[in-house]
Amino acid sequence: MQQPGAIAARSPRLDIGVVGGSIGGLFAATLLTRAGHRVQVFERSRDGLERRGAGLVAQQELYDLLRVVGRSDEIEVGVTASQRITLDRRGQVVHRDPTPQTQLSWDRLYSVLRSLITTQDYQLDRAVAGVTAITGGSKITFVDGHEDTFDLVVGADGAHSVTRDAVAHNHSRSTYAGYVTWRGLVPETALTKSAAHTLLGKFAFYNGPRDHALGYLVPGAGGEIQPGSRRYNWVWYRPIAPSELAEIMLRSSRQPAATSLAPGDLPESLRDGLVEDAAIALPPAFADAVAAEDHPFLQAILDYVPPQIVTGRTVLLGDAAVVVRPHTAMGAAKAAGDALLLADLLDRLPVDVALESYGQQRLAVGRAIAAYGRRLAASLPFQAGTPVSTHQ
């Protein structure tokens, strides 16, 4: 037992496996690598994750993380909206709020962080089947049957995490909240003159009887922030019954239980139908933005809050730990906060003490943000359906 007043020995340098190579996994991998740990990231996709995300509202945790990993130059790579506006169905501005807000680009952030991890340590096409506890560590079993052991495994594999079974075995599935978000990311020059006049330079909203839309500018794919080189990010929330969502997935050559479509997954016929719906349901400027996107993508809105996010030497991070609704604009920031605290605690405390403290602190934060997101969703202009269990 440690004597009163003694200084706890910090964690030794660890062999760490990170399941999932999206933003959350990269947050963890870059911080832990910088702290001197041996880190390997296992990403199931074959071709990487560029163009998988769109816009991010800047939050302090993202800035803090960029500073810690030595990329504070990226703090300036954002686009600031000068005001918030709310449109009515005709496209008229019915409310203005002169509050400025800065937006970042998901794919730019992904590319910057990805460049900090070697190709050897960021392995594509490495789908994980499961994680199990072993003495003094955790074991990753891959779909191809290969196994690797680590001192610590970080599950950053998203809302349908397979790592959850090792942490919260009887509580590992997300639930569908009854509505989805359609998203698009188009060059600002692709907008019609009228849409550009209404939308550019502002954070715009629309609340309709069964639709909620918003949009804002983000940097170009290479971090360009000068006018003419930026991109417009639009988001359109719509209630969709579970059976309709399953039909969209089947027609997009996905499993019926899937809950997301990447850019290019949606068949042209469904994309054309989405454009037609937008012309009926949305203000003209937002409808024009939807029509400008040839490859819209979809994310079902999910909920997940487990009883714990740490068991033994396996921890959960980001959406794998707690899924928060996008209305909070805090999903990426929460994942960054998770990674920052995990790296900091491992640098100061013995491993098991660090993990226990991480689990207590970040689960409390995740629960609070998740509850906030559900409260925001309750104020939306449509009634979401009854949550239903989802799985891969």
Side-chain angles (χ1 to χ4, degrees), residues 54-127:
L56 294 173
V57 175
Q59 304 280 4
Q60 187 60 47
E61 292 90 341
L62 298 176
Y63 292 148
D64 291 343
L65 187 141
L66 286 169
R67 290 190 182 97
V68 173
V69 300
R71 291 305 305 265
S72 57
D73 56 305
E74 288 297 318
I75 293 173
E76 303 301 322
V77 184
V79 178
T80 300
S82 62
Q83 59 182 303
R84 290 181 166 221
I85 63 171
T86 300
L87 304 175
D88 64 14
R89 174 62 186 82
R90 299 171 301 161
Q92 300 300 307
V93 178
V94 295
H95 179 73
R96 293 184 188 272
D97 178 1
T99 302
Q101 185 166 291
T102 300
Q103 292 76 234
L104 307 177
S105 165
W106 188 97
D107 51 5
R108 172 66 181 181
L109 183 61
Y110 170 85
S111 295
V112 167
L113 297 175
R114 174 67 186 83
S115 71
L116 302 178
I117 305 295
T118 68
T119 301
Q120 179 180 355
D121 292 332
Y122 186 98
Q123 300 180 30
L124 294 171
D125 198 17
R126 296 301 307 278

Side-chain angles (χ1 to χ4, degrees), residues 48-297:
L49 299 173
E50 289 82 359
R51 280 280 294 171
R52 293 296 181 96
L56 294 173
V57 175
Q59 304 280 4
Q60 187 60 47
E61 292 90 341
L62 298 176
Y63 292 148
D64 291 343
L65 187 141
L66 286 169
R67 290 190 182 97
V68 173
V69 300
R71 291 305 305 265
S72 57
D73 56 305
E74 288 297 318
I75 293 173
E76 303 301 322
V77 184
V79 178
T80 300
S82 62
Q83 59 182 303
R84 290 181 166 221
I85 63 171
T86 300
L87 304 175
D88 64 14
R89 174 62 186 82
R90 299 171 301 161
Q92 300 300 307
V93 178
V94 295
H95 179 73
R96 293 184 188 272
D97 178 1
T99 302
Q101 185 166 291
T102 300
Q103 292 76 234
L104 307 177
S105 165
W106 188 97
D107 51 5
R108 172 66 181 181
L109 183 61
Y110 170 85
S111 295
V112 167
L113 297 175
R114 174 67 186 83
S115 71
L116 302 178
I117 305 295
T118 68
T119 301
Q120 179 180 355
D121 292 332
Y122 186 98
Q123 300 180 30
L124 294 171
D125 198 17
R126 296 301 307 278
V128 171
V131 177
T132 53
I134 59 173
T135 302
S138 289
K139 178 177 67 177
I140 295 177
T141 301
F142 297 90
V143 170
D144 63 8
H146 183 75
E147 295 180 342
D148 274 334
T149 60
F150 298 89
D151 299 314
L152 173 65
V153 169
V154 178
D157 45 341
H160 296 298
S161 168
V162 299
T163 315
R164 287 176 183 165
D165 277 340
V167 176
H169 179 67
N170 294 320
H171 193 106
S172 61
R173 292 185 177 183
S174 298
T175 56
Y176 174 47
Y179 63 109
V180 306
T181 176
W182 291 99
R183 305 193 70 165
L185 188 65
V186 300
E188 62 178 305
T189 54
L191 296 176
T192 63
K193 184 177 180 179
S194 176
H197 175 75
T198 299
L199 300 174
L200 298 188
K202 305 154 185 111
F203 202 119
F205 295 88
Y206 168 68
N207 296 311
R210 287 181 57 80
D211 301 273
H212 175 63
L214 58 95
Y216 48 82
L217 282 167
V218 301
E224 301 87 354
I225 57 175
Q226 63 270 28
S229 300
R230 304 164 300 185
R231 295 170 296 174
Y232 191 74
N233 174 72
W234 57 262
V235 183
W236 180 13
Y237 295 99
R238 310 187 75 189
I240 292 183
S243 58
E244 183 181 357
L245 179 60
E247 178 64 20
I248 290 172
M249 294 300 159
L250 284 171
R251 293 181 62 183
S252 302
S253 300
R254 300 291 306 280
Q255 293 297 316
T259 57
S260 66
L261 296 175
D265 285 352
L266 190 71
E268 186 175 353
S269 60
L270 291 182
R271 181 262 175 186
D272 291 344
L274 191 70
V275 171
E276 293 172 2
D277 287 351
I280 296 170
L282 299 180
F286 276 133
D288 287 349
V290 173
E293 176 58 84
D294 291 331
H295 303 292
F297 51 108

Side-chain angles (χ1 to χ4, degrees), residues 348-367:
R348 295 188 290 107
L349 300 172
V351 179
D352 296 325
V353 176
L355 298 183
E356 181 181 8
S357 181
Y358 167 81
Q360 292 173 350
Q361 293 186 57
R362 293 310 294 180
L363 180 56
V365 171
R367 283 174 171 163

